[in-house]
Amino acid sequence: MVWIPAGRFLMGSDAFYPEERPEREARVEGFFIDTTPVTVAAFRRFVKATGHTTMAERAPDPAAYPDADPALLVPGSLVFTPTPGPVALDDFRQWWRYQPGANWRHTEGPGSTLHGRERHPVTHIAYSDARAYAAWAGKQLPTEAEWEYAARGGLRGATYAWGDEPTVGGRRMANTFQGRFPWQADTRSGRPGTTPAGSYPPNGYGLLDMIGNVWEWTADPYPTGQDAPPAPVSGCCGTAESPADALAQRVIKGGSHLCAPEYCLRYRPAARQGESEDTSTCHLGFRCVVRTDPDAGV
């Protein structure tokens, strides 16, 4: 973990999506934060020690989803599937699907494995799963302000965690979607995906993957109903298009390997979305904090 000293910073942004407004002064107390998102290896240790079963590994309660297709009321999670070719970007259902059998152990569904992915961020984690891990580890989930302050790495008001340009000297600084979303990814496999923690440069606080790779849960509720911000014009996550009617939501931060500038320019510290607490996806993980005096040790 890395110690983040107390301080003030400019939180939010007036320059991008409505839900990020207004830009305002905020203050946080000092805290420790995980250097990387929780990895597959770390989450596996937690499951081995506790026997925890993630939400994606349990069948949804039919009473909670009275309008759902009964065929989908089986254990599973949301998985991204590239479209065969260019499509209009106004319907996320073209590239998101509920995949029975998808979970943190089988990220693409039955038959997929975690072989060679021990250092990748764990995915398909619902809010309750992240909280359970944090409690087991003696930690907490960060508030939105703590998360954003840490992600900025000491830069005041910068667009990205590394400055105001999307690259530094032509170098990519985070794992985000490269190519033509959602159908053509410029990767060796032709498919977007997570990368091992630490594959890109750290920010000014020495933190890795605060931007891109996977979205991360925070502890803060995302307003719904009459208090909901304007619905996002585009959303990187399948449930973010109608926050006014959604189930209880939490703020997620950081963007992911599926964020593309023409659709979801949310790989910035100020960016935010609401995600239903019961949702898990192939691009959503978390990291933890500890709120304590630095001289007390961890």
Side-chain angles (χ1 to χ4, degrees):
M1 304 188 84
V2 172
W3 172 252
I4 308 297
R8 295 185 177 276
F9 72 107
L10 286 178
M11 183 175 178
S13 173
D14 294 329
F16 292 92
Y17 298 108
E19 66 270 16
E20 303 168 19
R21 302 170 189 161
E23 184 178 72
R24 67 274 187 197
E25 189 89 5
R27 174 180 170 78
V28 297
E29 300 301 325
F31 59 97
F32 287 97
I33 188 168
D34 290 341
T35 306
T36 72
V38 174
T39 63
V40 166
F43 198 78
R44 181 183 284 132
R45 290 193 293 270
F46 157 64
V47 170
K48 184 177 181 180
T50 64
H52 180 82
T53 301
T54 62
M55 185 164 285
E57 296 172 284
R58 290 176 271 154
D61 180 3
Y65 306 93
D67 299 324
D69 180 350
L72 296 179
L73 294 177
V74 296
S77 190
L78 290 173
V79 172
F80 174 83
T81 303
T83 58
V87 295
L89 301 180
D90 58 356
D91 185 359
F92 66 84
R93 291 170 296 186
Q94 298 174 98
W95 52 86
W96 281 110
R97 74 179 191 277
Y98 185 79
Q99 174 60 59
N103 54 56
W104 75 274
R105 304 175 192 270
H106 305 287
T107 56
E108 301 300 319
S112 60
T113 73
L114 293 174
H115 180 70
R117 299 172 62 88
E118 289 78 9
R119 292 179 53 238
H120 286 236
V122 68
T123 56
H124 296 291
I125 300 299
Y127 179 69
S128 61
D129 303 321
R131 285 194 62 187
Y133 176 96
W136 170 78
K139 303 178 181 182
Q140 303 89 34
L141 294 181
T143 66
E144 181 180 4
E146 288 170 340
W147 193 101
E148 185 171 330
Y149 181 58
R152 291 183 176 277
L155 298 180
R156 184 174 175 83
T159 299
Y160 300 99
W162 49 84
D164 287 318
E165 299 299 324
T167 62
V168 175
R171 182 183 184 185
R172 290 176 58 196
M173 301 296 287
N175 178 12
T176 59
F177 194 94
Q178 303 296 306
R180 286 174 281 188
F181 186 87
W183 66 283
Q184 188 178 63
D186 293 341
T187 65
R188 183 176 301 177
S189 67
R191 293 178 63 89
T194 59
T195 47
S199 296
Y200 292 85
N203 73 0
Y205 288 142
L207 300 174
L208 299 164
D209 292 344
M210 292 296 290
I211 300 300
N213 216 1
V214 294
W215 285 93
E216 299 182 14
W217 289 106
T218 75
D220 282 18
Y222 190 86
T224 58
Q226 294 183 343
D227 296 326
V233 175
S234 62
C236 197
C237 296
T239 58
E241 86 294 349
S242 57
D245 300 321
L247 300 173
Q249 295 189 355
R250 298 284 166 168
V251 175
I252 59 173
K253 300 282 283 184
S256 78
H257 61 83
L258 293 177
C259 281
E262 70 272 22
Y263 178 66
C264 182
L265 186 57
R266 289 183 171 86
Y267 43 93
R268 298 171 290 105
R272 65 199 298 263
Q273 281 196 172
E275 187 61 279
S276 296
E277 293 181 6
D278 64 345
T279 296
S280 61
T281 73
C282 64
H283 70 340
L284 177 55
F286 69 106
R287 77 179 73 209
C288 301
V289 300
V290 170
R291 302 178 185 98
T292 185
D293 187 281
D295 296 328
V298 177

